[in-house]
């Protein structure tokens, strides 16, 4: 009897020791997890492990702010070309995990923030590429496919780079590391182009202010005439033109900033081909502003013609914005050239085929 009691106590003691040991191991693992960040990568190609180059890129910039745009309720599949469907389930989680891996390796130099509200609108303003699934909904009397965002912006001091569409996990590390290296080079090279970049920015900001003023008149039209329905049954944009005519002084004041920006930037003509292109399109924009203003001052001008001129002005605004993006991204950008015509491989079509047609 005494032997049985002693055996029972021994079993209970062993069980208690086992439980305490297990708990102690779990606590120790949690403590180590706080000190040592990382995860076990068992994939053949080390897909979830950052390379040394990527780790160095994450640590080289002293403060990078990453804004992540991920739509809620992403579709499970999207069109993949040739009538195929592509499964994107879990891609958003993998993208975030990759960015957090960069954050953990950056020694506090890189911060990841996920945008929670108005994701698609903010993503579009940040110049990400929105994509569609199969879900459609009515908007302003039209059937529109729902748009989604999955990408990020990278801000380093006064430089910005965009990861516009993050749908291919196998290229996440390549693209993010390329962006980080590009940010560093852009910042270093932009110092020598400061006056050129500021001249281009003045033109772009003037065009944006003018475009925003035009859009404010369109919104006034929509409020007063039933939005999209007015465009279907209205008489050539009369409500918009009426609002524009009533506010022509404000329009002229906002849009004259483009001509002022072009005049200031003209002293830098010939220094940079991208600024020269922006100057040319900015000049065309300023001329179109003068044309719209002339028609506004002419009481006999037809509303349809005036609405058409305003529409052309809006189109030019997109061109100026694109030119400015090209100029902003030009510091440090490298060009690749191909020498053709000496029997070496050429990736372009040859104007003179080696074999005559006959």
């Amino acid at each position: 009897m005494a032997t049985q009691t002693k055996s029972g106590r021994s079993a209970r003691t062993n069980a208690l020791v086992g439980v305490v040991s297990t708990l102690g191991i779990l606590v120790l693992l949690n403590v180590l997890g706080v000190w040592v960040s990382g995860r076990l990568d068992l994939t053949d190609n080390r897909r979830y492990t950052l390379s040394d180059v990527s780790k160095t890129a994450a640590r080289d910039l002293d403060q990078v702010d990453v804004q992540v745009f991920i739509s809620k309720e992403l579709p499970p599949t999207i069109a993949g070309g040739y009538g195929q469907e592509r499964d994107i389930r879990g891609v958003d989680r993998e993208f975030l995990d990759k960015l957090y891996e960069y954050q953990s390796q950056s020694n506090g130099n890189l911060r990841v923030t996920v945008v929670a509200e108005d994701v698609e609108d903010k993503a579009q303003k940040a110049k990400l590429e929105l994509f569609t699934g199969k879900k459609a909904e009515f908007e302003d009397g039209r059937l529109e496919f729902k748009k989604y965002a999955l990408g990020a912006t990278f801000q380093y001091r006064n430089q910005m780079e965009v990861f516009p569409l993050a749908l291919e996990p196998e290229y996440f590390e390549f693209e993010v590391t390329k962006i980080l290296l590009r940010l560093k080079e852009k910042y270093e090279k932009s110092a020598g182009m400061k006056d050129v970049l500021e001249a281009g920015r003045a033109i772009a900001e003037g065009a944006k202010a003018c475009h925003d003023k035009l859009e404010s008149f369109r919104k006034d039209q929509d409020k007063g005439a039933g939005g999209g329905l007015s465009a279907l049954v209205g008489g050539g944009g009369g409500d918009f033109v009426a609002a524009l005519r009533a506010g022509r002084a404000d329009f002229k004041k906002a849009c004259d900033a483009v001509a002022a920006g072009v005049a200031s930037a003209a002293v830098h003509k010939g220094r940079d081909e991208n600024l020269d292109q922006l100057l040319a399109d900015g000049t065309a924009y300023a001329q179109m502003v003068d044309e719209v203003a002339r028609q506004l001052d002419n009481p006999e001008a037809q509303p349809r013609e005036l609405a058409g001129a305003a529409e052309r002005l809006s189109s030019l605004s997109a061109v100026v914005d694109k030119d400015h993006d090209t100029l902003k991204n030009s510091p440090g950008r490298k060009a690749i050239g191909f020498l053709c015509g000496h029997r070496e491989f050429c990736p372009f079509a040859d104007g003179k085929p080696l074999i005559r047609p006959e």
Side-chain angles (χ1 to χ4, degrees), residues 45-313:
N45 59 358
R46 309 289 289 170
R47 177 168 167 176
Y48 302 109
T49 302
L50 292 183
S51 66
D52 291 340
V53 172
S54 296
K55 292 175 183 177
T56 301
R59 296 166 187 160
D60 271 357
L61 303 180
D62 52 16
Q63 185 59 63
V64 180
D65 183 24
V66 183
Q67 295 278 329
V68 187
F69 302 84
I70 300 177
S71 294
K72 299 174 183 177
E73 301 179 0
L74 287 171
T77 61
I78 59 172
Y82 302 102
Q84 302 292 320
E85 286 193 355
R86 182 174 174 185
D87 193 334
I88 63 167
R89 285 174 292 188
V91 171
D92 54 336
R93 184 68 257 172
E94 194 164 340
F95 183 52
L96 264 180
D97 285 346
K98 182 64 70 176
L99 293 175
Y100 285 137
E101 188 73 17
Y102 277 89
Q103 180 175 265
S104 69
Q105 296 291 340
S106 70
N107 294 334
N109 289 340
L110 186 145
R111 182 181 61 183
V112 176
T113 305
V114 180
V115 176
E117 302 294 334
D118 301 323
V119 177
E120 292 76 25
D121 289 342
K122 291 178 180 177
Q124 198 162 20
K125 289 177 182 177
K127 300 187 178 179
L128 269 68
E129 293 180 20
L130 301 186
F131 62 98
T132 60
K134 293 181 178 179
K135 186 177 179 181
E137 54 190 23
F138 278 97
E139 184 176 331
D140 292 334
R142 294 176 297 181
L143 187 65
E144 298 281 354
F145 282 98
K146 185 172 174 56
K147 294 182 179 179
Y148 303 92
L150 178 52
T153 61
F154 295 73
Q155 178 82 42
Y156 174 60
R157 299 187 181 180
N158 63 342
Q159 299 299 325
M160 171 82 78
E161 283 287 305
V162 178
F163 195 148
L165 194 58
L167 293 177
E168 301 183 62
E170 59 270 26
Y171 297 113
F172 284 169
E173 181 177 354
F174 173 79
E175 293 295 339
V176 173
T177 298
K178 183 177 73 173
I179 285 172
L180 295 177
L181 295 174
R182 174 96 180 102
L183 280 171
K184 182 180 180 181
E185 190 169 17
K186 275 178 69 175
Y187 178 74
E188 292 171 351
K189 299 289 185 182
S190 64
M193 295 177 58
K194 186 177 179 181
D195 49 354
V196 169
L197 294 173
E198 287 181 351
R201 185 176 63 185
I203 298 173
E205 287 179 350
K208 184 180 184 306
C210 182
H211 178 71
D212 289 345
K213 179 58 67 176
L214 271 179
E215 289 303 305
S216 71
F217 294 129
R218 295 188 199 280
K219 289 176 182 177
D220 291 342
Q221 170 201 356
D222 291 345
K223 288 177 184 177
L229 184 62
S230 174
L232 296 175
V233 301
D239 296 323
F240 164 66
V241 170
L244 184 55
R245 274 187 166 140
R248 61 180 176 273
D250 291 337
F251 163 78
K252 197 75 168 66
K253 182 179 179 181
C255 296
D256 278 347
V258 179
V262 168
S264 298
V267 297
H268 302 292
K269 187 174 181 180
R271 284 185 55 188
D272 184 275
E273 61 180 354
N274 297 305
L275 179 62
D276 289 348
Q277 183 61 55
L278 180 55
L279 268 169
D281 291 328
T283 300
Y285 193 99
Q287 290 171 350
M288 184 55 67
V289 167
D290 290 340
E291 173 63 20
V292 173
R294 185 185 64 76
Q295 292 195 37
L296 284 173
D297 292 335
N298 180 7
E300 297 182 1
Q302 296 298 312
R304 189 179 296 276
E305 293 177 3
L306 217 165
E311 191 61 37
R312 290 192 293 276
L313 192 59

